[in-house]
Amino acid sequence: MNYMPQDLIHALDLYRQDRKAADTGVPVDEEMPEDDAILSSDSNPVRQAKELRDQRIAEREKYRAKPKGKRRPDGSRQYLYPDPKNYDDLAFDHKTGELIEPIRKKTVVIPAGKDPAKDKALKYGQTYPHKSPVWKGYYALRNTVESQNAFIKDSATEDIASPMKRRARGNTFASLAVTLALVSANIRKILTFIQSELARVPLTSKNKSFASTYYSSAEITSATSPTDTAPSPPPS
């Protein structure tokens, strides 16, 4: 919302300035809010900059318009305006310095533009606030996806990125070849997990191929406590 205080609107820009000041040792601009003078504290300036960013993003929640209903066939969507009763601070126009009056309307419809790059309905229609803890949790899953992509594209193993590994033509054969490659990759992951669980010592490229690196089945059996399978006596 435009009514949101400037330090909340520019939370990420202020964070970048704070990080730059922390990394270079150059003091923060004197015109910035006092709570941005992160170098004046004896705590870790990078950690403090992140905490301040997260605090500002959390404070944005009271100014966020909430979607109402589903997106319409033309791409537009209706949003509920935040309740002005929850506003803690007065907002001023950054350019003119004039006081901004909070919006009294209940809802607003944001249309969908013809150009996806300039479509405000899509740009501001994200489910989770940017950089919020929930957003970070879902965004972190991207690392898992990219890691798996690199794993199955490794030229030393399945190498599904190379068409030379599947020379037959046709979508059917390509789909079958990639499926078998994924099965192979999953088996490698399972074997890697089993090896890590059975290893006597930390695994390296030099010792992981030797049987002596791992516990034998006899050792595992002897170290396992026998399970009492006898039925419990009936109640008296």
Side-chain angles (χ1 to χ4, degrees), residues 186-201 203 208 213-215 220:
N186 284 331
I187 292 175
R188 286 199 297 120
K189 280 185 172 291
I190 293 172
L191 291 177
T192 299
F193 171 77
I194 293 176
Q195 285 179 324
S196 66
E197 291 295 306
L198 297 180
R200 300 172 183 269
V201 295
L203 293 176
K208 67 179 181 180
T213 303
Y214 309 96
Y215 291 104
I220 296 174

Side-chain angles (χ1 to χ4, degrees), residues 76-163:
S76 63
R77 194 170 190 179
Q78 189 176 25
Y79 289 83
L80 291 168
Y81 273 115
D83 190 348
K85 295 180 181 179
N86 296 327
Y87 297 162
D88 295 334
D89 305 311
L90 297 178
F92 296 87
D93 187 281
H94 188 60
K95 296 181 179 179
T96 64
E98 296 179 354
L99 182 67
I100 300 177
E101 290 292 334
I103 297 176
R104 303 296 177 181
K105 295 197 304 182
K106 298 295 184 181
T107 63
V108 62
V109 176
I110 301 180
K114 296 181 180 180
D115 184 359
K118 300 179 181 179
D119 189 352
K120 292 185 177 181
L122 296 178
K123 181 178 180 180
Y124 298 108
Q126 58 191 21
T127 303
Y128 305 110
H130 186 62
K131 293 291 184 180
S132 66
V134 178
W135 180 92
K136 291 178 182 178
Y138 282 101
Y139 188 79
L141 297 177
R142 179 182 178 87
N143 295 333
T144 304
V145 174
E146 296 299 337
S147 175
Q148 181 66 12
N149 284 338
F151 186 77
I152 60 180
K153 290 180 179 179
D154 186 352
S155 60
T157 54
E158 288 77 21
D159 193 15
I160 65 171
S162 174

